[in-house]
Amino acid sequence: MLALLHTSPVHVPVFDALRDAHHPGLELRHLVEEELLDRARSGGPEAVADDVRAALRRAVADGARAVLCTCSTLGGVAERAAGAAGATVVRVDRPMAAAAVAAGRRVTVLAALESTLAPTRTLILEEARRAGRPVEVRTVLAAGAWDRFEAGDTEGYLRRVAAAADAVTDADADAIVLAQASMAPAAGLVATTVPVFSSPRAGLAAGAAAARGVQGPSSGSDRDPKAPGRVGWAHLAVAVHAGE
């Protein structure tokens, strides 16, 4: 069983649909903790580290073999809490970050929520160091998008995200990262020729692999991501985005 730690209920049907399409038979258990994101936005991600650790422990106690954190703001905190919680933790955006690094030197991180920008930039740099690739990371906030999300205007939210992505050109970037899982549908609305990477499908594939006992490189680890029995995040995510 794979547990998913969410900070919004909108992710539940998205990941259920991805499971049904690509991982039939995988049992998912959804943990929705909306207030964690609210507190992380005001006090920083470390302000909720104890609560994230407690949520991971509950997931393990309920039988989860791995936990997928779908919140990009809290992903780093969840990874760091894994050992103390006795959990295998995958952050949904790590495979996406690895694929973006593989795509080119200039990566633009696009987010609708400001608190997501710094953690995602840090993640891109981690994956660049792991891959031994130099990267330049630029961050962009999609103006007004999060207000639309909070108002329940999904169409308006995605249109603003797509507009921000379309402002990025080949002269600016080799890859665009949609930093939040909720932004993924905007990839189908963009006109930019810059490759756009989103996290849900590749992230769930990594979570499913972890639930089967196949481990990938974790944050801060010096493990070889190409070692036998480990998931190569970049290969996995590139394959997913290529439709394999």
Side-chain angles (χ1 to χ4, degrees):
M1 184 262 283
L2 175 67
L4 292 86
L5 177 59
H6 308 295
T7 52
S8 172
V10 302
H11 298 311
V12 174
V14 171
F15 283 92
D16 279 344
L18 286 171
R19 183 271 315 277
D20 293 344
H22 304 290
H23 308 280
L26 175 65
E27 181 184 355
L28 300 183
R29 186 162 301 171
H30 300 282
L31 310 174
V32 181
E33 304 279 353
E34 292 183 84
E35 57 92 19
L36 291 181
L37 181 57
D38 294 335
R39 288 166 50 207
R41 290 178 65 187
S42 59
E46 292 299 331
V48 296
D50 289 344
D51 298 282
V52 170
R53 189 178 303 111
L56 298 178
R57 285 175 174 155
R58 289 196 300 273
V60 172
D62 286 342
R65 296 197 60 185
V67 181
L68 178 66
C69 179
T70 67
C71 177
S72 299
T73 298
L74 301 182
V77 169
E79 282 187 330
R80 290 190 292 276
T88 297
V89 175
V90 176
R91 58 185 292 178
V92 73
D93 48 356
R94 188 170 287 281
M96 172 186 67
V101 166
R105 179 177 55 84
R106 301 165 305 158
V107 178
T108 293
V109 172
L110 177 60
L113 189 60
E114 188 170 6
S115 64
T116 303
L117 292 174
T120 307
R121 182 179 187 277
T122 298
L123 176 62
I124 298 290
L125 295 174
E126 284 178 7
E127 289 300 321
R129 285 194 297 271
R130 191 191 308 282
R133 293 174 178 267
V135 296
E136 298 174 4
V137 183
R138 183 171 70 108
T139 59
V140 175
L141 190 65
W146 193 250
D147 290 340
R148 294 293 87 215
F149 181 86
E150 291 188 315
D153 179 8
T154 301
E155 181 181 351
Y157 171 59
L158 296 175
R159 279 194 283 102
R160 283 165 174 77
V161 171
D166 283 340
V168 181
T169 69
D170 291 333
D172 302 318
D174 301 305
I176 298 171
V177 164
L178 300 182
Q180 294 158 250
S182 59
M183 302 168 76
L189 304 176
V190 301
T192 181
T193 57
V194 181
V196 177
F197 294 88
S198 59
S199 62
R201 186 176 166 191
L204 182 60
R212 295 194 305 269
V214 180
Q215 297 182 10
S218 60
S219 178
S221 171
D222 60 359
R223 299 169 180 166
D224 179 1
K226 297 181 180 178
R230 296 196 179 277
V231 174
W233 288 161
H235 172 77
L236 182 147
V238 169
V240 165
H241 280 276
E244 295 181 7

